[in-house]
Amino acid sequence: MKKIFLLLSFVIVFLIPFAQKADHTFNFDGLDAFKLGLGKAELEKILNKKIVLKHIMIDEQYTETIDVSHNGIDFQLYLMRSQVPKAIAWLESVSTKSPLFKTAEGIGIGTDESKIIDTYEKHLLIIRKESITLVDIDNIHSSIVFYLKDKKVV
């Protein structure tokens, strides 16, 4: 009986945490498989479907927004047109409203504005009424925008 109890304790303490689904993290590089800079063909492989562009490469628009679902999570992909070395569409930005995503520091949907400011006090922050932008000091072209409503991330 003692051996069974020890075995069950081992299962409960060590295996159950691994069976739980972990939240997804995001950073300046992107969200999950959607890394900034990926081309259209790479995105199609991730999504396992063809992306039909309605503006980029068709008219003079240089950006395009595509709503997609991947692994049961909704995303908005923002593609940018590039002419160098040839005309291509690449992932410039990605967003989601899924509460499964958090930064490594635990910031995500529902987080208070004050926690963002306290957490990233040593970083460059652009604070507006409707958003807080966390700028990557190593690459000023890269940032994370936390959109706010009633001083909470939405």
Side-chain angles (χ1 to χ4, degrees):
M1 183 62 128
K2 200 175 207 181
K3 287 181 184 179
I4 294 173
F5 178 76
L6 289 174
L7 181 60
L8 285 175
S9 297
F10 175 81
V11 170
I12 291 169
V13 172
F14 292 104
L15 297 182
I16 289 179
F18 293 106
Q20 295 174 350
K21 184 176 169 105
D23 286 345
H24 303 273
T25 60
F26 64 91
N27 55 35
F28 291 114
D29 295 327
L31 299 168
D32 273 0
F34 299 112
K35 301 299 179 201
L36 302 183
L38 289 177
K40 179 178 172 275
E42 295 164 308
L43 292 169
E44 289 173 337
K45 281 183 185 177
I46 292 168
L47 295 168
N48 199 25
K49 71 177 195 177
K50 185 92 172 136
I51 294 174
V52 178
L53 298 174
K54 297 177 183 168
H55 301 289
I56 295 178
M57 317 303 192
I58 297 169
D59 57 31
E60 295 302 313
Q61 298 265 349
Y62 279 84
T63 61
E64 186 147 348
T65 303
I66 301 170
D67 294 316
V68 299
S69 182
H70 181 62
N71 293 335
I73 300 171
D74 293 329
F75 296 91
Q76 277 196 316
L77 306 179
Y78 303 90
L79 301 179
M80 176 70 90
R81 175 179 165 179
S82 172
Q83 294 292 352
V84 180
K86 61 180 182 173
I88 60 167
W90 56 275
L91 185 61
E92 177 195 36
S93 179
V94 58
S95 69
T96 186
K97 292 185 177 188
S98 171
L100 296 174
F101 284 87
K102 293 185 180 358
T103 65
E105 296 80 10
I107 306 297
I109 302 294
T111 301
D112 275 348
E113 173 186 52
S114 60
K115 183 173 180 187
I116 298 169
I117 294 168
D118 291 345
T119 301
Y120 298 111
E121 67 183 346
K122 295 185 183 195
H123 294 78
L124 176 58
L125 295 174
I126 301 169
I127 302 170
R128 297 187 176 106
K129 182 179 179 182
E130 70 283 346
S131 66
I132 296 177
T133 302
L134 173 62
V135 180
D136 184 355
I137 304 263
D138 297 326
N139 178 3
I140 62 167
H141 300 291
S142 186
S143 62
I144 297 173
V145 181
F146 300 101
Y147 291 98
L148 305 171
K149 183 175 182 184
D150 300 325
K151 297 191 177 212
K152 291 192 180 283
V153 177
V154 292

